[in-house]
Amino acid sequence: MNLQFKYLKFRAMTEIVWIEIRKIIFLIIGGHNMNLNEYLNCHKSRSFSETLFSFIDKSGFKDSMIYKKADIDRKLFSKIRCSENYIPRKNVIIKLCLALKLNPNDFNKLLNSAGYSLSESKFDRVISWCLENKIYDLSKVNDYLYTFCGTIL
């Protein structure tokens, strides 16, 4: 793991600890004397970028392995890594989830961290079915999507 990676991981862990401390303080004082900014900081969730890279760290794979497996351009992946507030399209996030072989719960965590969720559309139901049946191969998922929806990721 390179030094920048260690620093980002340390920074994320430090931020999580501070969020938990603020939550405890919020509970102790009852939240009555807290302004909106403090309240929002106490209930801050992890960014999409932080969530994605924590899943990549847990997977043990190199970044290059993940973006190749997800069929994502290196430049786009670099933009995701370098721009903390950048949110890619939903299809890109789905590809990353499949490359990471995330279970349905973690899949939804990553989607939600970007402000997305799976809907009741036929497309999203095919994705859900693939997850439930542990089908993570992008070409197989795209075959199902093309057969049932006429589109691919």
Side-chain angles (χ1 to χ4, degrees):
M1 214 182 301
N2 67 27
L3 191 58
Q4 182 184 12
F5 227 44
K6 287 180 181 179
Y7 170 73
L8 291 173
K9 197 171 187 179
F10 172 77
R11 197 174 103 199
M13 293 302 296
T14 306
E15 183 65 25
I16 291 168
V17 169
W18 277 111
I19 289 169
E20 293 305 314
I21 290 171
R22 287 185 199 116
K23 284 181 183 177
I24 292 168
I25 292 170
F26 181 76
L27 292 172
I28 290 171
I29 65 171
H32 301 295
N33 298 324
M34 195 173 284
N35 69 30
L36 180 58
N37 192 35
E38 291 168 335
Y39 177 83
L40 292 173
N41 284 332
C42 283
H43 293 87
K44 186 177 174 184
S45 58
R46 294 172 76 182
S47 71
F48 165 73
S49 180
E50 290 171 334
T51 306
L52 172 64
F53 290 108
S54 73
F55 283 129
I56 291 174
D57 288 345
K58 286 179 192 174
S59 76
F61 292 115
K62 291 183 177 181
D63 289 356
S64 59
M65 174 97 170
I66 298 299
Y67 70 72
K68 286 176 184 175
K69 201 171 181 183
D71 193 31
I72 294 172
D73 182 61
R74 180 182 55 84
K75 290 179 183 177
L76 174 59
F77 193 82
S78 178
K79 187 173 185 177
I80 294 168
R81 174 170 284 297
C82 296
S83 304
E84 191 172 322
N85 295 324
Y86 177 72
I87 305 291
R89 291 177 301 119
K90 182 178 175 180
N91 286 4
V92 171
I93 298 171
I94 291 171
K95 287 175 162 186
L96 288 165
C97 291
L98 293 171
L100 289 163
K101 296 185 177 182
L102 297 180
N103 64 47
N105 187 38
D106 290 341
F107 184 97
N108 285 321
K109 272 186 197 173
L110 187 56
L111 268 182
N112 291 339
S113 71
Y116 299 117
S117 64
L118 292 177
S119 67
E120 289 300 315
S121 71
K122 188 183 263 189
F123 181 92
D124 285 357
R125 284 185 288 152
V126 170
I127 297 295
S128 293
W129 183 86
C130 289
L131 282 176
E132 290 171 15
N133 290 283
K134 295 179 173 44
I135 300 169
Y136 300 108
D137 184 304
L138 186 58
S139 62
K140 287 182 182 177
V141 172
N142 277 333
D143 286 344
Y144 285 119
L145 286 168
Y146 188 76
T147 301
F148 291 97
C149 304
T151 189
I152 60 171
L153 286 169

